[in-house]
Amino acid sequence: MKIRDKQFAVVGLGRFGLSVCQELADAGAQVLAVDVNEEKVKAATQFVTQAVVANCTLEDTVAELKLSDYDMVMVSIGEDVNASILTTLVMKESGVKSVWVKASDKFHSKILQKIGADHIIMPERDMGVRVARKMLDKRVLEFQELGSNLAMTEVVIGSRLMGKTIGQLSLCQNDEIQVLGFKRGPEIIKNPGLDKVMEIGDMLIVAGPKDVLMAKLKSL
Ligand code: ATP
């Protein structure tokens, strides 16, 4: 099914819900935006297919909006945990195929799991994990100047690069860059083979022109 044939609904148009609507609409999908607050609905009308003022804790509303015909419904009601739980329950009982729900904490998430939410998002936690992974992926310990614009550095392998071989790194596909060593725990291998598979926390010692190294490390 093409994206433009997919029907999404987003219930609750806080900052999170609104940005979900915007991204889906930008991708060309059909989006129904729903909120009890008229102002919030007005803000969404400019970019979604349809925007409606309605209370989704009511079975009749969910039936009237024909939400069970949608491919996916996102419930992004944050502050009012009762409304979020009730809305999710009504959706599942009305036969909505796939209900994604934003949870504010682990207790909220546990209840959502019990009542059958298909996917639970905890934005702050999920984003924290993602940022930490990105930080690990980008972690470079130090640059040691070798003169004549040459430098040496150590690169720590994060989650994004684990499972790849040294030869698969774009960094190592550059003729000007040399992999001098490979560290895993206390073990150090000089001139490792390009077919060595990397694990999280491994370290590569690489050398080359400083500007080339910096550019390559940015895109790692
Ligand atoms: P943000 O996403 O900005 O961090 P938040 O997670 O705290 O905000 P809320 O401020 O609770 O989310 O916003 C969720 C939206 O859900 C509000 O605009 C609110 O009007 C709406 N809402 C609350 N109850 C219902 C309901 N029963 N049906 C539809 N919309 C609802």
Side-chain angles (χ1 to χ4, degrees), residues 10-19 34-38 40-41 52-58 61 75-84 86-87 102-104 123-124:
V10 178
V11 179
L13 306 172
R15 283 168 305 177
F16 180 86
L18 214 53
S19 59
V34 187
D35 201 291
V36 278
N37 182 322
E38 205 175 323
K40 298 283 177 79
V41 173
V52 176
V53 180
N55 181 351
C56 287
T57 57
L58 308 171
T61 309
V75 180
S76 41
I77 301 171
E79 259 175 48
D80 190 346
V81 175
N82 281 345
S84 158
L86 203 50
T87 301
K102 177 185 123 156
S104 13
E124 286 83 6

Side-chain angles (χ1 to χ4, degrees), residues 76-155:
S76 41
I77 301 171
E79 259 175 48
D80 190 346
V81 175
N82 281 345
S84 158
I85 293 168
L86 203 50
T87 301
T88 307
L89 192 63
V90 170
M91 298 272 181
K92 288 311 293 178
E93 285 186 340
S94 308
V96 176
K97 283 168 252 171
S98 181
V99 185
W100 287 39
V101 193
K102 177 185 123 156
S104 13
D105 54 43
K106 64 177 180 190
F107 300 108
H108 186 185
S109 162
K110 214 168 179 177
I111 297 169
L112 293 170
Q113 235 168 19
K114 292 253 183 227
I115 60 174
D118 296 281
H119 188 75
I120 298 163
I121 300 117
M122 293 174 72
E124 286 83 6
R125 185 205 57 185
D126 297 348
M127 188 48 94
V129 169
R130 231 187 280 167
V131 168
R133 282 189 183 155
K134 224 171 177 158
M135 287 165 81
L136 281 172
D137 283 350
K138 297 269 180 207
R139 213 170 104 207
V140 172
L141 297 185
E142 62 188 26
F143 261 109
Q144 214 171 316
E145 307 276 350
L146 302 173
S148 313
N149 189 38
L150 289 175
M152 187 171 83
T153 190
E154 294 176 322
V155 185

